[in-house]
Amino acid sequence: MNNRKFNSYLKNKTVALVGPASYLSEFEFGNKINSKDVVVRINRGMELVEENKKHIGNRTDILYSCLIEHPDNGGIINIKKLKDENVKWVCTIPYCTSDGKKTSPFLHPSVKLSTILKLYFQFNFHIYNHKSYSLLNKNLSSRANTGFAAIFDLLKYDL
């Protein structure tokens, strides 16, 4: 979904992918992260920005989220905050079993349709190719989490 438009957005750009790793608080990478053309955050990573700007920067251009709105997963999707923070793309992963055998271009059954519709009509929206995600899971013999999948998805484009 939107692969050409997503590639056009990423083409020849430098990208910082920032996960919510606690060890980042030991470093002051904020300016270095913000200096990249595109800043990508994972799931609830945006929640950490306000208190940790000097460590993790303060921009989010792309949010990769599993879209499962639970504190142990992607967290609550706050459309107003995404707009206020000038997020340009919301990306997600398709539904797939951990062995990669059952795959679908659709999302996990726990993702709310109302959330998908809000995101789709208010942001650029991208879903990692379900066949590529299935192959990744098959090769891992596990279900790739959103952050790990984001790395492989981004590397398919002309960064």
Side-chain angles (χ1 to χ4, degrees), residues 30-123:
N31 289 335
K32 188 171 188 155
I33 289 167
N34 284 342
S35 74
K36 301 304 178 195
D37 298 322
V38 176
V39 178
V40 180
R41 298 194 190 273
I42 309 299
N43 284 325
R44 298 179 59 203
M46 285 182 63
E47 296 173 16
L48 306 172
V49 168
E50 190 59 38
E51 294 176 10
N52 298 286
K53 290 178 189 176
K54 70 180 182 182
H55 303 289
I56 61 172
N58 64 341
R59 271 188 29 236
T60 304
D61 301 304
I62 298 174
L63 174 67
Y64 269 85
S65 174
C66 66
L67 301 180
I68 299 172
E69 295 186 80
H70 186 276
D72 293 335
N73 296 104
I76 301 302
I77 303 296
N78 183 331
I79 301 290
K80 183 180 180 331
K81 180 159 179 65
L82 294 176
K83 285 184 168 255
D84 289 348
E85 296 297 326
N86 202 27
V87 171
K88 294 164 185 64
W89 284 85
V90 176
C91 304
T92 192
I93 53 177
Y95 178 71
C96 184
T97 56
S98 60
D99 59 8
K101 290 182 180 171
K102 183 177 181 196
T103 184
S104 166
F106 302 107
L107 305 183
H108 190 281
S110 297
V111 175
K112 297 176 192 171
L113 178 60
S114 60
T115 299
I116 297 167
L117 292 172
K118 287 176 193 172
L119 292 171
Y120 182 80
F121 287 108
Q122 296 187 52
F123 297 91

